[in-house]
Amino acid sequence: MNKLSTKIGFVLLTGMIITLIGSLLLMYKSTKDTVEKTIAMSSLDIASNISQGINPTSYADFLSNQSETSTYWEIREQLDDYRQKLEHYMYIHWELTKIAKKSIFL
């Protein structure tokens, strides 16, 4: 183990292993970030399409009376219909958020 070539080979091998591990970690992080962004953008597109399909008049009626009326069930059936058409979605979650006396459909 006293040969200079053995020491140089050991240093080079160690450097290559460190470089390989660093590259794998960077690829993992990059892939994970890309997948998360793709899922987020896809979900936003689907939410936008669903919100365009909901009747605004019915939704406004529901906002004025937030109880289980016929309007509520109509909207719920529409959302369930979208959920059934989107095979990979188990739930379509909708929230009412009040900001500056306005309700927003998310």
Side-chain angles (χ1 to χ4, degrees):
M1 180 106 180
N2 289 336
K3 285 188 171 184
L4 181 62
S5 63
T6 304
K7 290 180 182 179
I8 291 173
F10 182 71
V11 169
L12 287 175
L13 180 62
T14 304
M16 289 172 58
I17 290 173
I18 291 171
T19 303
L20 176 65
I21 290 171
S23 295
L24 290 174
L25 289 173
L26 286 173
M27 275 195 295
Y28 173 77
K29 183 181 178 339
S30 175
T31 302
K32 181 182 172 194
D33 291 346
T34 302
V35 168
E36 286 176 355
K37 287 179 184 176
T38 302
I39 290 172
M41 293 301 295
S42 174
S43 296
L44 287 174
D45 286 343
I46 290 170
S48 175
N49 289 339
I50 289 172
S51 68
Q52 290 173 0
I54 300 296
N55 183 352
T57 307
S58 297
Y59 190 70
D61 291 343
F62 170 70
L63 288 178
S64 65
N65 181 15
Q66 295 182 18
S67 60
E68 293 187 11
T69 61
S70 61
T71 305
Y72 166 82
W73 289 107
E74 177 186 323
I75 293 171
R76 186 174 169 148
E77 286 174 9
Q78 286 177 340
L79 291 174
D80 189 52
D81 184 47
Y82 281 113
R83 184 192 58 80
Q84 289 175 2
K85 289 178 184 175
L86 302 169
E87 296 173 1
H88 303 292
Y89 286 81
M90 293 180 68
Y91 301 100
I92 294 178
H93 181 77
W94 59 311
E95 291 183 12
L96 300 175
T97 306
K98 294 191 177 189
I99 300 173
K101 297 183 181 177
K102 291 183 181 179
S103 296
I104 301 171
F105 181 76
L106 300 175

